[in-house]
Amino acid sequence: MITVEIHSNENRESYGFQISGHAYSGEPGRDLVCAGASAIAFGSVNAIGELVKVTPGIDQGEEGGFLSVTINPSDLSPEQNVKLQTILQTMVTQFYTMVASYGDFIELKYKMM
């Protein structure tokens, strides 16, 4: 199962996420849940770099199946924070959509930071 963990503060603002595990919903190379989760995650990381203009901390597993992304809130201007929250809220919405259709293979959790 893929676990998506969103790292949020007490104001429900998010400053990172972690994705771990494998879906095993299809044969390797044809696993739609894994491909979808990867596309959402890497698209979000790319959007953060391009639109927010910050480089998040990234930790990736060598064999796949793990991605951790962190952004230091104190490094953001108010305008950058608004953009970041929009990107991460969009990402969460996309993951919720996946969970609704493929809940046997992917789950979404929140972790307070």
Side-chain angles (χ1 to χ4, degrees):
M1 169 157 315
I2 295 174
T3 300
V4 179
E5 185 178 86
I6 308 300
H7 301 163
S8 298
N9 66 17
E10 65 278 355
N11 295 324
R12 302 184 89 183
E13 295 174 314
S14 299
Y15 293 100
F17 60 93
Q18 179 176 298
I19 301 173
S20 60
H22 293 281
Y24 301 112
S25 68
E27 61 185 83
R30 297 185 186 274
D31 188 328
L32 295 179
V33 175
C34 190
S38 295
I40 292 168
F42 287 105
S44 298
V45 169
N46 291 339
I48 291 167
E50 286 294 316
L51 302 174
V52 182
K53 304 294 186 199
V54 296
T55 302
I58 297 174
D59 184 18
Q60 265 185 287
E62 291 181 23
E63 299 293 319
F66 181 80
L67 174 66
S68 176
V69 177
T70 56
I71 299 99
N72 186 342
S74 64
D75 291 343
L76 302 173
S77 69
E79 294 81 14
Q80 287 175 306
N81 190 47
V82 168
K83 290 178 183 179
L84 176 67
Q85 297 312 310
T86 301
I87 292 166
L88 293 180
Q89 289 172 9
T90 301
M91 181 190 77
V92 167
T93 301
Q94 292 172 319
F95 279 124
Y96 269 126
T97 302
M98 287 192 70
V99 169
S101 296
Y102 303 102
D104 290 342
F105 305 104
I106 186 168
E107 64 181 349
L108 184 61
K109 297 181 177 183
Y110 283 88
K111 179 179 179 182
M112 295 300 289
M113 36 180 270

